[in-house]
Amino acid sequence: MPMTRPTSPDPQRKPVMLTVDDDPAVSRAVARDLRRHYGEANRIVRAESGPDALDTLRQLKLRGETVAMLVADYRMPQMTGIEFLEAAMDLYPAAKRVLLTAYADTHAAIDAINVVDLDHYLLKPWDPPEEKLYPVIDELLDAWRRAPERPIPHTKVIGHRWSARSWEVRDFLARNGLYYTWFASDEPVGEQLLQAAGEDGKRLPVVVTEHGDPLVEPSDAELADTLGLTTTPSQDFYDLIVVGGGPAGLAAAVYGASEGLRTVLIETTATGGQAGQSSKIENYLGFPDGVSGSQLAERARRQAEKFGAELITARTATALEINGPKRTIRFDDGGSIDAHAIIVATGVAYNELTADGCETLKGRGVHYGAAVSIASECEGEEVYVIGGANSAGQAAMYLSREAKSVTIVVRAPSLEASMSHYLIQQIEQRPNITVRTCTEVHCAIGSDYLERLTLIDNRTGQTDDVTCARMFIFIGAAPRTEWLKDVLARDDHGFILTGPDLRNVCGWTLDRPPHHLETSVPGVFVAGDVRSESAKRVAAAVGEGSMAVMLVHRYLAES
């Protein structure tokens, strides 16, 4: 299944016709005659041994190219033509297969029809080709074109449907707008790609780049480096470091860079944050028809880069240090960067469900959040959405397009207290969405993947076993600010205190009061959901991101 914001696949990539013969003169002659007649519509590739030809086919497979025809000489050292064609079938089963034979070897060619499902055998010499070669090849190419293999020149992901890391890789690529096609490791094309990569399927996922380079069980940083995302800051010192790439962080990057600050944004996974995973945001100013979170994030990312902000992906901030007027961010790989000022906009992460079985089945039917890429996988399935906030409602609406049924499970007696009115109305009008109130998940059940849930009514204590293919969890959120606990003042839940909320907090060192979004450390500001008592809405986060930049300017003017 492809994911979009691609660099589009090249529609002009020509099908390959590969010839293999150990006699260089014969090899050149075959290639010459094929190129003369078919070179305009096809790419003619030649090899002079079976092993070399197989290596070429593996490279072509990994690069996503199609092979229309294989022409192999019967008598070759190391590997006969029949042995080559038999091995080649595992990589390109749809390619037409032709064996070149001398008159004395026609019996072998006839035997090959049963061994490798041979399409034709040609006697050498084939002169004149207009009579003995081209009519045969024309007929075979016509047959291939009636059911051609499609080129896949972009990134390919081969993994197991119920592998947690396979889902994480797909989510990383999708959220970063990197085009890919997904193949299950136990399906024919997936098996062919694994064979071409020299893998047996025990180490998954395997990501094959558009250049044909296989990455086995890659980390996010390895994916980012290989696929062209920026992972290293170009400078050691900036005016402004923005930590977090959600709406607040992107707004800060746009306004910081547009107002002349040397600005760098650091993001662990992908720009957009939780909002970037939303299928449709309908209450954001200026988008009366709604906008997907990924579209909003992509536009903001382009806007930030247009003004000169650097966007760094797959780097995790692990420490904040204060050294006089310099503020330092340290990364998990040991690197660091410095700046005059910092805006923390790391948002929040969904709390994990503690019900039995959820941890074991995480990534194998149990998901936190709901990437848009998952919806098509839910066709005909019974899925459950746990949580009653807007993010849960948006996910339920989107999943209901493909799923057989969607059930929203909430502990509260209704959705009114936590979900916007417009979403509640949409949910009520969608026939395949059901809401179960005063209900919680007691346990998740499944062997290799999620199969059932046990729900419990928190009024009566009664339990109910239900069939469930996937469960998407949106329960509460935590700020994940442990890396800042010894530096910045936080509330009892870990959210960062700012401005007036710092009145009763020790540690403020300046004569002036802290600015509205300033933390307990001068020059370090906070925007968005990670701030204590924030509004937890996209528009509020964007507003705070832009406002924080204004306060950074004030701070710099005072310093």
Side-chain angles (χ1 to χ4, degrees), residues 28 49 104 170:
R28 286 192 295 270
S49 75
R170 294 175 66 181

Side-chain angles (χ1 to χ4, degrees), residues 307-327:
F307 288 121
E310 290 184 38
L311 272 60
I312 308 300
T313 306
R315 298 293 292 273
T316 301
T318 56
L320 167 63
E321 296 178 359
I322 310 302
N323 301 298
K326 182 174 68 174
R327 280 83 181 96

Side-chain angles (χ1 to χ4, degrees), residues 6 30-31 69 75 124 136 152 161 183 214 223 238 276 287 333 475 503:
V30 176
M69 185 166 298
R75 287 190 178 274
K124 298 187 291 184
V136 171
I152 315 167
R161 184 186 184 201
F183 298 99
L223 285 170
Y238 292 83
F287 291 90
D333 61 1
I475 53 165
R503 286 192 186 97

Side-chain angles (χ1 to χ4, degrees), residues 350-366:
Y350 292 117
N351 289 327
E352 295 199 356
L353 192 61
T354 57
D356 289 345
C358 289
E359 180 61 31
T360 305
L361 295 171
K362 185 177 179 180
R364 295 186 288 139
V366 174

